[in-house]
């Protein structure tokens, strides 16, 4: 999930306060908001989000703004566009008291704005999307900003990240993971004299997405 949140002010003190409010919301309130109704009825404790990265930048025209990359467990949360929209509305209406603005990259990806998509539901065996997430999305969100460093004039942190999940214990039981399905393409057809019909001949192939920038 990738969201851009803009601060209306060119004042670093105010922008930093908005960012701290956003971090507090992601850690404390968002897990409660996105918890399933089933877990709420069972009175389960909300699970913390998997992780987040917030890059702080400064533009001469746009002022202070933040690139938010959010990681969630796809087994529990599939509505990535809805969750991103909830964060955006909370940012604009509550955290900045109506002064902020936003850009929802997940919604833009859903309506086909990008030719190469690295946000949304990403399967662990989807190497193509994971490469886009690593080399395009997170790199764009975490790139340094000379103007931001010059504006702060201090050693304030311009890149914030949440805690990463602990590795699962391999000794714990559970259903074994299904192997990834092989991508394939049709090569040709071969005629069988015994069965008197044609059979397709398939060869493995890797899914490819055309390159495009975010």
């Amino acid at each position: 999930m990738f969201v851009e949140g803009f601060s209306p002010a060119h004042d670093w003190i105010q922008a930093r306060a908005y960012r701290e409010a956003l971090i507090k919301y992601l850690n404390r309130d968002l897990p409660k908001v996105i918890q399933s109704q089933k877990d709420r009825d069972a009175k389960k404790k909300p699970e913390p989000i998997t992780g987040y990265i917030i890059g702080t930048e400064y533009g001469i025209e746009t002022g202070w703004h933040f690139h938010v990359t959010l990681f969630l467990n796809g087994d529990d949360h599939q509505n990535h566009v809805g969750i991103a929209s909830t964060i955006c509305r909370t940012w604009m209406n509550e955290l900045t008291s109506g002064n902020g603005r936003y850009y929802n990259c997940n919604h833009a990806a859903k309506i086909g704005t990008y030719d190469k998509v690295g946000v949304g539901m990403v399967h662990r065996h989807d190497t193509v999307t994971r490469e886009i997430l690593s080399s395009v999305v997170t790199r764009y969100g975490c790139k340094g900003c000379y103007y931001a460093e010059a504006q702060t004039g201090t050693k304030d942190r311009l890149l914030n990240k949440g805690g990463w999940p602990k590795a699962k214990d391999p000794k714990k039981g559970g259903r074994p993971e299904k192997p990834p399905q092989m991508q394939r393409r049709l090569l040709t057809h071969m005629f069988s004299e015994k069965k008197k019909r044609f059979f397709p001949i398939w060869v493995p192939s890797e899914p490819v997405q055309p390159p495009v920038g975010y």
Side-chain angles (χ1 to χ4, degrees), residues 63-113:
W64 291 101
H65 57 279
F66 311 106
H67 301 289
V68 182
T69 309
L70 187 65
F71 301 91
L72 300 174
N73 186 345
D75 290 335
D76 301 325
H77 309 289
Q78 294 82 38
N79 185 15
H80 59 95
V81 176
I83 295 175
S85 299
T86 298
I87 297 173
C88 291
R89 289 193 298 267
T90 302
W91 163 260
M92 184 175 67
N93 299 326
E94 299 180 22
L95 301 182
T96 64
S97 301
N99 294 320
R101 54 195 177 94
Y102 63 84
Y103 183 80
N104 188 339
C105 297
N106 287 64
H107 179 263
K110 181 181 179 181
I111 63 178
T113 303

